[in-house]
């Protein structure tokens, strides 16, 4: 039972973009982020009445769908629409973190639109209590979200003078990147092309081995320091051995400054899951400059964290090294008094929404094999499904996303860029090979989770600079209607 | 109010394939049709458990989805799957009437699959009483039907040895043709190409003038006999003038052998709507040989009907000519004792299902302008919507189909043949111009409603023979993966 529970918790936590962290970043109590934004980032906040149920007519309810519009760069006479397909969080946060769109808007004379995903941010049908009502949660699906986007695009084109004949390019990162790709796949008449950054559209049963995700994470650590990865691989057994005794558990709790001491084997399991998630998150945000994406972090945070795990450490010094490494992730500011291993389980809105999606459509199998630095674990869909039923009274359909979005047979769609950073664990489920001349894979060595979508930075690697240039060139080809480059 | 009611009734009746007639054909009381079928037409009847709601997880109900399989021609080692996307009626009827698939199955070594449309035939979630329950009717949409087809194709490929890598070509006529096209548009990874015969995918608000449908009908009559069309054009005023008096109404009732006499102006309106529908239906089934599609009819039935309307007729002789023309449609066998003007309004299952679809997604505006031989009438969406609310407690969304299926911007999809007979009223909403080299319009002069999908016949016109040859050549290109013909 232990293993099963672990796998279930593990996967729910290993969801795209760990939205619990997203929410902490965007809360009004932490306004740091917006202060860092360039002056160009200003937009209008608007709302549109959407059908709660696009796919049925019995429920006639509507909700207020929030979207942000920036038209200061736009050529009002048919300039393109750059449309961000919002993912599992407050849209203002994605708006502020998708610097690439802001950086290129003027060059393309583009209208920027950032559309929120239903059931997140300020676009929650029936209000926040909906997360306790599985009947009203029923309309939280990717298909409904894409329909919101399609209806909104038509509305904008019908009502904004000059937009009628505008091309539409979808942009998105992570789950938002999946939506950008699916928006093009399902609504090819509405969307002319899509930049799907770090979009693990193949992280589903039968398309990608369940071990791939943690193996990429392992490689990211190994390529920074093989010793570091080996120390993490050793650490699980070390933790188990030390925490056999009450004294050992106290030692670990004290070393890690845990808010609540480990007192049982179950606590230790949660502790190890929490550690696993930190390593994954570090790989996702291993950016070349100090950044504030999931947590405020130094440049190349894995290198910094691994600096405490470079030697062939003894048991106790390994525990100490792990703590210092973890502290890079959680406490680079030095302001955190104690570390909380149940942090991933807190129930913010974003969490509740994504947990539900992971329990219905977004079933992304995860396991660990012996190639990885993580503890071996198996994927158990039955147990996963039972956990979902317990939590939401729904059962996931493990093949539905493949049936709905064409699985690996997407080459006929055309005009999608799939960009992936090779450091990013989610690249495991990404499209890592160009499928045709217009379904293009762009790979970014040393790149973490949708690095290319961030604002240009003086410390950007040459790889991400080149990726952005290529992305712009391809988008330009789409907009001019040429299928071949001019030179 | 009169005009409004008329338009509402009119459009509901003018739905694709007038399913009330379909149902009379397939009832067990009229087994003529199957007796005419070639020996090759034998198939297995199977059922598959489908989710009632593919797009939500709260409702976990399933229903038995019927499909027919014929594998006697199939190359079991990867031969293609020809998949009929069932429309608004019993699938066995479409199976028996889509002779083209049977005629070419052996040549292509194809597996034939005919999948029923949910809420029709034997595939009715919650059983026949569902048509009185708007909550349970909620899952009767084209999107849900396409999802049924997608899930079924995956199931067949996963479970039939030899089918895993089979190409899938969708076939459909009328609303089934719309579904075939949309299946390719929305599930391009599952469907390699589609033959959408007589598929009015653009018969929606803003894409086609509401008058186009009846103008094509008028042209079909005019091209057989200009005098005939003119007599029909004159007839509405003549009927109005004669039926002003009780004696006139009795005369008309007697001449037409109506089962129930006309006794009021409202009755006369219904009578004229009934006449209009007969002219439309005659244009749909104006086949070059005796056929049994909506009714048992002689070859070129419009020519036969018009033979009674060729002269410059006086008022009373016009009434007499109209009756004789109508009798060609309803009573070529001579077995019908009296004619029933409320026949279109009878509530068979097929009717109820299609009426609901016409009141939700399938809003096809119809009106008559002065170019047509029909009485002028306007399109009034508000009144239409109110009628729908009264009947089903739902309101149609007039732009939803355009938003969902990309409107006229479908050229990026590729691999669809849109075939249309130029005699067919529904060609008004069809794709009548090739959009690219792989989105091809095939037009069939003197062709009625999906004539090309019928069994080859010794009396076929050279146009329909050529169309079928072209269709086969294109399908062969799709299957060999070539985008260019070899010679």
């Amino acid at each position: 039972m232990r293993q099963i529970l672990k796998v279930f918790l593990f996967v729910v936590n290993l969801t795209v973009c760990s939205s619990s962290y997203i929410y902490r970043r965007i809360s009004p109590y932490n306004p740091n982020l917006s202060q860092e934004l360039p002056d160009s980032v200003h937009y209008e906040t608007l709302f549109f009445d959407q059908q709660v149920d696009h796919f049925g007519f019995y429920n006639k309810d509507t909700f207020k769908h929030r979207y942000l519009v920036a038209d200061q760069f736009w050529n009002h006479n048919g300039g393109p629409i750059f449309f961000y397909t919002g993912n599992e969080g407050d849209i203002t946060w994605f708006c502020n973190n998708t610097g690439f769109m802001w950086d290129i808007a003027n060059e393309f004379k583009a209208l920027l639109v950032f559309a929120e995903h239903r059931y997140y941010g300020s676009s929650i049908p029936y209000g926040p209590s909906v997360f306790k009502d599985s009947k009203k949660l029923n309309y939280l699906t990717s298909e409904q979200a894409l329909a919101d986007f399609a209806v909104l695009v038509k509305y904008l084109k019908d009502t904004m003078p000059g937009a009628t004949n505008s091309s539409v390019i979808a942009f998105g990162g992570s789950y938002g990147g999946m939506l950008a790709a699916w928006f093009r796949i399902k609504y090819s008449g509405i969307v002319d092309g899509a930049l799907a950054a770090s979009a693990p559209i193949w992280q589903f049963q039968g398309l990608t081995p369940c071990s791939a995700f943690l193996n990429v994470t392992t490689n990211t650590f190994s390529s920074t320091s093989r010793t570091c990865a080996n120390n993490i691989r050793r650490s699980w057994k070390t933790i188990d051995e030390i925490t056999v005794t009450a004294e050992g558990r106290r030692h670990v709790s004290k070393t890690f400054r845990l808010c609540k001491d480990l007192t049982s084997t179950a606590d230790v399991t949660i502790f190890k899951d929490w550690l696993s998630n930190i390593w994954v998150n570090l790989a996702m945000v291993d950016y070349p400059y100090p950044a504030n994406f999931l947590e405020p972090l130094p440049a190349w945070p894995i290198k910094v964290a691994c600096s405490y795990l470079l030697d062939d450490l003894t048991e106790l010094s390994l525990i100490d090294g792990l703590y210092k490494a973890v502290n890079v992730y959680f406490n680079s500011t030095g302001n955190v008094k104690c570390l909380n291993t149940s942090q991933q389980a807190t129930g913010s809105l974003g969490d509740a929404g994504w947990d539900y999606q992971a329990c219905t459509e977004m079933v992304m199998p995860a396991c660990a094999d012996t190639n990885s630095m993580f503890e071996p674990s198996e994927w158990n869909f039955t147990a996963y499904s039972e956990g979902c039923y317990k939590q939401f009274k729904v059962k996931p359909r493990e093949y539905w996303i493949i049936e709905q979005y064409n699985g690996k047979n997407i080459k006929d769609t055309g005009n999608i860029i799939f960009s992936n950073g090779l450091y990013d664990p989610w690249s495991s489920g990404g499209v890592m090979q160009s499928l045709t001349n217009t379904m293009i894979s762009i790979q970014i060595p040393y790149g973490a989770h949708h690095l290319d979508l961030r604002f240009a930075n003086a410390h950007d690697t040459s790889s991400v600079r080149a990726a952005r240039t290529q992305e712009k060139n391809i988008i330009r080809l789409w907009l001019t209607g040429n299928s071949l480059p001019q030179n």
Side-chain angles (χ1 to χ4, degrees), chain A:
Chain A
M1 191 58 203
R2 173 196 164 278
Q3 188 60 28
I4 287 167
L5 181 67
K6 184 185 170 209
V7 171
F8 176 64
L9 279 174
F10 182 65
V11 171
V12 169
N13 288 331
L14 277 183
T15 50
V16 182
C17 244
S18 299
S19 41
S20 57
Y21 301 123
I22 289 173
Y23 265 85
R24 288 207 290 127
R25 282 301 94 210
I26 54 168
S27 85
Y29 306 106
N30 189 339
N32 295 341
L33 200 63
S34 54
Q35 289 171 4
E36 297 164 10
L37 296 173
D39 293 340
S40 58
V41 179
H42 56 91
Y43 50 77
E44 222 182 327
T45 302
L46 297 161
F47 291 87
F48 177 72
D49 283 330
Q50 291 277 11
Q51 295 289 335
V52 168
D53 187 6
H54 290 288
F55 300 105
F57 291 74
Y58 180 75
N59 180 343
K60 293 163 198 76
D61 297 337
T62 60
F63 73 98
K64 298 278 177 204
H65 182 203
R66 181 168 64 161
Y67 62 105
L68 317 176
V69 173
D71 69 352
Q72 58 269 36
F73 313 105
W74 190 39
N75 171 359
H76 287 251
N77 190 15
I81 300 172
F82 287 180
F83 189 95
Y84 189 90
T85 49
N87 32 322
E88 74 284 22
D90 189 303
I91 192 60
T92 60
W93 188 82
F94 295 111
C95 175
N96 292 337
N97 267 272
T98 310
F100 183 56
M101 287 174 71
W102 294 98
D103 283 343
I104 68 173
N106 191 45
E107 189 177 337
F108 284 92
K109 305 295 175 208
L111 178 73
L112 301 186
V113 179
F114 297 84
E116 195 153 61
H117 192 297
R118 54 167 57 202
Y119 290 84
Y120 295 95
S122 296
S123 302
I124 303 180
Y126 308 110
S129 67
V130 75
F131 295 100
K132 290 174 192 148
D133 183 341
S134 65
K135 192 170 173 183
K136 288 181 174 164
L137 266 178
N138 189 53
Y139 310 101
L140 170 49
T141 66
S142 61
E143 292 86 352
Q144 298 277 9
L146 291 176
D148 290 338
F149 298 153
V151 170
L152 179 60
V153 167
K154 180 169 174 7
Y155 168 76
L156 294 174
K157 288 194 155 198
D158 286 352
T159 57
M160 289 187 79
T164 313
N165 299 314
S166 291
S167 295
V168 176
I169 308 296
F171 289 75
S174 196
Y175 170 50
M178 297 160 78
L179 292 170
W182 293 338
F183 198 20
R184 168 71 187 156
I185 288 170
K186 286 295 188 185
Y187 294 90
S188 61
I190 290 174
V191 184
D192 299 278
L195 171 54
S198 297
I201 60 166
W202 291 346
Q203 195 83 36
F204 293 93
Q205 182 65 43
L207 301 185
T208 298
C210 60
S211 58
F213 182 89
L214 292 177
N215 285 341
V216 172
T217 311
T218 301
N219 289 342
T220 301
F221 276 78
S222 290
S223 79
T224 300
S225 158
R226 195 171 290 272
T227 314
C228 175
N230 281 336
N231 275 321
I232 293 172
R233 180 174 295 136
R234 282 176 53 216
S235 70
W236 314 111
K237 191 157 167 263
T238 303
I239 293 167
D240 283 344
E241 284 169 3
I242 292 182
T243 56
V244 163
T245 65
E247 192 196 337
R249 289 194 291 271
R250 267 196 305 276
H251 176 76
V252 171
S253 306
K254 200 178 154 210
T255 306
F256 273 81
R257 303 184 193 198
L258 297 182
C259 303
K260 196 169 154 283
D261 270 10
L262 306 175
T263 57
S264 65
T265 316
D267 283 353
V268 173
T269 301
I270 291 169
F271 172 71
K272 289 192 294 184
D273 288 343
W274 174 80
L275 274 180
S276 294
N277 275 290
I278 293 167
W279 307 138
V280 166
N281 287 344
L282 274 172
M284 280 173 64
V285 297
D286 197 30
Y287 295 131
Y289 46 82
N292 205 350
F293 186 65
L294 302 182
E295 290 286 331
L297 289 175
W300 301 117
I302 289 184
K303 199 174 160 193
V304 181
C306 277
S307 70
Y308 304 106
L309 296 165
L310 289 182
D311 301 318
D312 191 8
L313 301 166
T314 61
E315 286 207 342
L316 293 185
S317 59
L318 176 55
I319 296 293
D320 193 55
L322 290 172
Y323 163 69
K324 285 175 177 154
V326 161
N327 215 36
V328 170
Y329 183 71
F330 271 123
N331 200 15
S332 71
T333 58
N335 293 334
V336 177
K337 298 281 174 245
C338 64
L339 297 184
N340 181 1
T341 57
S342 64
Q343 198 158 50
Q344 288 108 310
T346 56
S348 75
L349 295 186
D351 265 349
W354 185 256
D355 285 357
Y356 178 83
Q357 291 194 260
C359 270
T360 48
E361 296 187 309
M362 301 298 157
V363 188
M364 300 182 177
C367 64
D369 65 20
T370 51
N371 294 319
S372 89
M373 67 184 194
F374 295 87
E375 273 197 302
S377 65
E378 288 181 357
W379 168 246
N380 183 331
F381 178 71
T382 308
Y384 183 88
S385 180
E386 282 165 7
C388 287
Y389 190 76
K390 220 167 169 178
Q391 194 178 358
F392 293 112
K393 295 278 169 294
V394 292
K395 288 191 172 178
R397 296 179 200 143
E398 71 184 313
Y399 294 109
W400 170 242
I401 285 289
I402 298 173
E403 290 157 341
Q404 178 63 5
Y405 297 115
N406 297 316
K408 290 207 168 182
N409 301 320
I410 55 172
K411 71 174 172 42
D412 282 4
T413 298
N415 287 13
I416 304 181
I417 301 167
F418 296 95
S419 65
N420 283 281
L422 297 183
Y423 269 179
D424 181 15
W426 291 109
S427 66
S428 59
V431 178
M432 299 299 278
Q433 202 170 351
S434 294
L435 305 174
T436 68
N437 282 308
T438 67
M439 293 287 276
I440 299 162
S441 168
I442 294 181
Q443 292 166 34
I444 309 168
Y446 316 107
H449 203 45
H450 49 68
L451 171 61
D452 49 331
L453 285 192
R454 298 177 61 80
F455 283 106
N457 186 292
H459 296 95
D460 274 330
T461 59
S462 59
S463 322
V464 74
R465 288 173 206 263
R468 290 191 187 120
T469 302
Q470 201 183 343
E471 287 162 6
K472 285 198 296 176
N473 289 344
I474 293 168
I475 291 169
R476 200 171 290 112
L477 285 178
W478 294 341
L479 292 177
T480 54
N482 289 326
S483 58
L484 292 174
Q486 291 305 296
N487 298 315

